[in-house]
Amino acid sequence: MASLPTVLVGNTIKLDSEFKKFSPPLHFEKRKYSTKELEFREAVSLITQGNTTLESSSYVPILQECIDSNSLSGVETIHANIIKTGFGQELFLMTFLVNAYAKCGTMESARKVFDNLPQRNVVTWTSLMSGYVHNLRPELAISVFNEMLEAGGYPTNYTLGIILNACSALYDVNLGKQIHGYIVKYDIQYDTSVGNALCSLYSRCHCFDMTIKAFDRIEDKNLISWTTAISACGINGDSAMGLDMFVKMLAEGLEPNEITLTTVLSLCCTMQDLVMGSQVHSLCIKLGYGSDLHITTSIMYLYLKSGCITAAKKLFDKMNFTNLVTWNAMIAGHAEMTNFSENGLSAYFYGIEALRIYQRMNLSGLKPDLYTFSSLLTVCSSLVAMEQGEQIHAQTIKTGFLSDVVVGTALVNMYSKCGSIDRASKAFVEMYRRTLISWTSMITAFVQNGRPQQALDLFEDMRFVGVRPNTVTFVSVLSACSQVGTVDQAMAYYDMMKNVYNIEPVMDHYACLIDMFVRLGQIDEAFEFIKKTDLKPSEFIWSILVAGCRSQGKLELAFYAAEQLLELKPKDSETYFLLLNMYISAEKWKDVSRVRKMMRDEKIDNKLLDWSWISIKNKVYSFKSGDKKHKSDEVARLLEDLIEKARGIGYRVEKNLETVDEEKEETTASTAHHSEKLAVAFGLLNTSNAAEILVVKSTSMCRDSHNFMKIISTLTSRTITIRDSKRLHKFYDGQCSCGDFGHSLV
DNA sequence: ATAGGGTTAG
């Protein structure tokens, strides 16, 4: 966090009447450059020959050319020449030189030129500030601002715009508000550059209302004002409003440029609105931006986000030019699919594809940046690929991108989802800046890893440092409460959410509370709560109730809840398998046949896509039920041996689909195995004695397998982590981190 | 002399 510049605390900005009227700054006249016709190369050759017939203003377009081609050596050559020819006293020229050095990335030289200036005016000061903002040293821009004020200089609207940008770069909305205070006091909110900077600051700091207010106050709204406001709508999650503004902008007669269009396409993208997207695309083509790289990348990303992976790939392969952003979008698009795939198996393939694209990107010679790393970490967390995740962690350290708050948060999330809570919290502690999402991620990490009390403690820390929780934070908090199992505490947080933070409860919050009642065995209270809140339970809530009723032996209610679930998800194979298993456990064979017939009628696959995979030394081994791959004899023998030993200490194979022969409808010997049992056995055989086992499973774990893993963790003295489609299970010493309510259903 | 966009995290 940037410390507050002391000068700003008192009323020390002296704004004179000149400033209020926006007259041009003192000592600065706009020159008409006589060298418009002078060719750049000609000029350079004149300079290098030492033939100095140039007048001082002729240097400006040459310097501009150096800036455009980012040629530091060019700037240095011209600098030397200016000194030689005695133009070093020309303030306007030296100001431009400060700017040129700053734009070419050497603030040391810029500062040196500035320090040697014969005199200073607001333009020279402002150029230096702008240079620091441009070179990612906003805090230095602010101290230069203070220096200027102390020296008696007055800011202009441009100066204030730059300082607001510095605040924005520091995410220091409080300092920005102080500056805003002066802007209000001197009534210059309607100025375009000040207004645009305010919009941009508030947008970046997620103060949406302030953004729109600042926008409304701008007298002459230019394309930048509109683009900033439209983009702010997107950041705020109100893409529809952004599209409305875009239409309004068009109605006002402004023509969008490629940047506005890219922003608008990104709105279509978050709305997954292919129809609107293709309309905007047509407009892009009409305005001549059809082959613009940003536009094409946005269209590609729109396809990706709308699930049209093949179309996106086609476009990608057809593109003549790609840059890092194109590749990042491709990787991010696949990374996102790993989150939204219903089916764990397809998530796995998307994840692998994302890593492949990354390899291809490396081969093409592009260097990854913070966006690449964030997406890759997401992929690793979805794949539960901790080894790859660690490699990417190492790369973020080497490249310096670890200091980015999003990368840091993604790292916390990756370690958490891979079951390594210690590394997750280390990553969190080492972050130098944390956003609400970082805090929420860490709170969620504790919840995911079965440490509810630490989650609640961290939540209080977060409140203590003044970070305001949101809906998502409270889902994790209530989820932690349900694990702790204190009804009063949960209700207190529920009330806090509603009354202190004015957050309306959503289905996930209700689900947490119902989950808590169910865990406490208070099935009646759960149903009562549903009635009291006039709640129409979601699928998820019904599935919690099914599991709860079953474990409480309330079979009638369980069947009722399961039927409700089926009504909400009539095409979902897992629900049918749930019902089947329930009837099999109850040995109601008639109902078993009835459900099987329903499945045939609905054309539901007779086999659940149950896969598990384990990554050992960068190789991934996948298993499906009853699989015979990967040293099957050894794996089978070990598994039989473990089952035998487990039986010795009370394990009984539960009757379910895996263990019941379909034809005879009776329990057979456990020759068929769940995929995760195979993967764990394989892991036990192929890792050293103390190593943790980490397995990913495409569906959710069943109760039988869950019981089995608990016992195996004791028998082998190993920590076994299984990430299923619902949550994380960490088995250690006969216990599971989910508190035995995480396994669900089937 | 100043200003805007796309890809990222719960």
Side-chain angles (χ1 to χ4, degrees), chain A residues 576-710:
Chain A
Y576 284 101
F577 283 95
L578 162 68
L579 262 177
L580 269 184
N581 267 344
M582 284 170 64
Y583 287 125
I584 289 171
S585 306
E587 307 202 358
K588 296 188 172 185
W589 305 116
K590 266 185 197 154
D591 288 311
V592 173
S593 325
R594 180 174 61 85
V595 174
R596 282 225 160 92
K597 185 177 176 306
M598 282 163 75
M599 289 172 73
R600 278 194 295 275
D601 293 346
E602 290 281 346
K603 299 197 170 50
I604 301 289
D605 254 351
N606 201 25
K607 277 263 173 275
L608 208 50
L609 270 178
D610 169 35
W611 285 77
S612 293
W613 50 91
I614 183 167
S615 165
I616 295 172
K617 293 197 177 74
N618 276 330
K619 270 185 144 174
V620 176
Y621 303 87
S622 60
F623 299 83
K624 62 182 180 185
S625 305
D627 216 340
K628 296 257 189 290
K629 293 192 298 190
H630 308 310
K631 301 189 198 172
S632 64
D633 287 349
E634 250 182 289
V635 171
R637 222 178 300 130
L638 176 65
L639 206 48
E640 285 308 322
D641 185 41
L642 288 171
I643 289 172
E644 214 34 61
K645 279 185 183 147
R647 274 183 208 274
I649 51 176
Y651 169 69
R652 277 179 36 245
V653 179
E654 234 184 272
K655 286 179 196 169
N656 63 27
L657 278 173
E658 293 300 329
T659 49
V660 171
D661 189 307
E662 198 180 325
E663 297 304 313
K664 296 182 218 142
E665 301 291 15
E666 63 187 30
T667 310
T668 61
S670 52
T671 46
H673 299 300
H674 285 106
S675 60
E676 68 271 27
K677 289 184 187 167
L678 293 163
V680 167
F682 184 80
L684 288 170
L685 282 171
N686 291 288
T687 54
S688 61
N689 273 337
E692 283 190 22
I693 305 279
L694 183 56
V695 165
V696 192
K697 180 175 161 66
S698 65
T699 53
S700 47
M701 283 188 86
C702 72
R703 200 155 57 165
D704 167 65
S705 183
H706 198 266
N707 285 333
F708 181 69
M709 293 302 166
K710 286 202 285 187

Side-chain angles (χ1 to χ4, degrees), chain A residues 313-423:
Chain A
K313 247 192 192 118
K314 244 189 200 159
L315 189 59
F316 180 71
D317 291 337
K318 258 199 341 217
M319 285 171 79
N320 290 325
F321 298 102
T322 53
N323 65 3
L324 184 56
V325 177
T326 321
W327 287 89
N328 281 351
M330 205 63 188
I331 294 170
H334 282 80
E336 190 161 351
M337 292 301 285
T338 64
N339 284 333
F340 287 108
S341 306
E342 284 262 314
N343 178 336
L345 190 59
S346 63
Y348 170 72
F349 286 122
Y350 284 123
I352 297 288
E353 184 60 19
L355 294 179
R356 280 205 197 108
I357 295 169
Y358 175 55
Q359 280 179 343
R360 273 173 60 199
M361 190 190 105
N362 271 334
L363 287 176
S364 82
L366 282 167
K367 295 265 174 288
D369 70 352
L370 66 163
Y371 291 103
T372 328
F373 286 130
S374 309
S375 298
L376 289 172
L377 287 170
T378 303
V379 168
C380 293
S381 67
S382 299
L383 294 178
V384 195
M386 188 138 89
E387 285 173 351
Q388 279 85 349
E390 280 175 328
Q391 285 171 19
I392 291 166
H393 183 179
Q395 287 183 48
T396 62
I397 295 171
K398 251 192 249 163
T399 52
F401 287 113
L402 182 59
S403 61
D404 179 75
V405 67
V406 178
V407 172
T409 306
L411 195 65
V412 170
N413 185 38
M414 186 275 291
Y415 279 129
S416 161
K417 285 207 175 144
C418 289
S420 181
I421 188 66
D422 295 338
R423 269 178 266 200

Side-chain angles (χ1 to χ4, degrees), chain A residues 411-650:
Chain A
L411 195 65
V412 170
N413 185 38
M414 186 275 291
Y415 279 129
S416 161
K417 285 207 175 144
C418 289
S420 181
I421 188 66
D422 295 338
R423 269 178 266 200
S425 73
K426 188 164 182 284
F428 179 76
V429 167
E430 287 172 358
M431 289 172 81
Y432 82 104
R433 192 174 84 83
R434 299 174 191 93
T435 62
L436 166 63
I437 299 184
S438 322
W439 286 94
T440 305
S441 298
M442 193 62 226
I443 293 169
T444 310
F446 282 130
V447 175
Q448 280 170 344
N449 287 273
R451 300 192 185 182
Q453 193 50 53
Q454 273 166 289
L456 294 175
D457 291 346
L458 191 68
F459 175 67
E460 289 306 333
D461 288 349
M462 182 186 105
R463 272 161 35 86
F464 183 74
V465 299
V467 176
R468 189 188 162 86
N470 70 2
T471 305
V472 184
T473 320
F474 272 105
V475 173
S476 291
V477 168
L478 292 176
S479 177
C481 291
S482 94
Q483 283 184 21
V484 173
T486 318
V487 176
D488 291 345
Q489 190 184 27
M491 287 306 169
Y493 278 121
Y494 180 68
D495 289 340
M496 178 198 284
M497 174 178 84
K498 287 199 296 187
N499 302 329
V500 179
Y501 294 104
N502 293 320
I503 297 171
E504 279 300 307
V506 297
M507 203 53 86
D508 284 349
H509 300 129
Y510 294 129
C512 293
L513 294 176
I514 287 169
D515 182 56
M516 173 184 65
F517 288 126
V518 165
R519 281 165 182 255
L520 291 168
Q522 303 175 354
I523 304 289
D524 297 338
E525 283 83 348
F527 277 98
E528 205 175 291
F529 182 81
I530 290 171
K531 226 165 123 188
K532 208 172 64 193
T533 47
D534 205 17
L535 183 68
K536 219 173 160 297
S538 63
E539 302 155 7
F540 182 51
I541 293 183
W542 282 124
S543 69
I544 294 169
L545 286 168
V546 175
C549 295
R550 279 182 80 194
S551 68
Q552 293 290 308
K554 302 197 170 183
L555 283 186
E556 285 314 306
L557 272 177
F559 286 126
Y560 167 73
E563 296 294 340
Q564 298 293 322
L565 188 59
L566 196 61
E567 226 165 82
L568 286 172
K569 294 173 93 174
K571 294 278 175 201
D572 181 65
S573 50
E574 263 202 70
T575 313
Y576 284 101
F577 283 95
L578 162 68
L579 262 177
L580 269 184
N581 267 344
M582 284 170 64
Y583 287 125
I584 289 171
S585 306
E587 307 202 358
K588 296 188 172 185
W589 305 116
K590 266 185 197 154
D591 288 311
V592 173
S593 325
R594 180 174 61 85
V595 174
R596 282 225 160 92
K597 185 177 176 306
M598 282 163 75
M599 289 172 73
R600 278 194 295 275
D601 293 346
E602 290 281 346
K603 299 197 170 50
I604 301 289
D605 254 351
N606 201 25
K607 277 263 173 275
L608 208 50
L609 270 178
D610 169 35
W611 285 77
S612 293
W613 50 91
I614 183 167
S615 165
I616 295 172
K617 293 197 177 74
N618 276 330
K619 270 185 144 174
V620 176
Y621 303 87
S622 60
F623 299 83
K624 62 182 180 185
S625 305
D627 216 340
K628 296 257 189 290
K629 293 192 298 190
H630 308 310
K631 301 189 198 172
S632 64
D633 287 349
E634 250 182 289
V635 171
R637 222 178 300 130
L638 176 65
L639 206 48
E640 285 308 322
D641 185 41
L642 288 171
I643 289 172
E644 214 34 61
K645 279 185 183 147
R647 274 183 208 274
I649 51 176

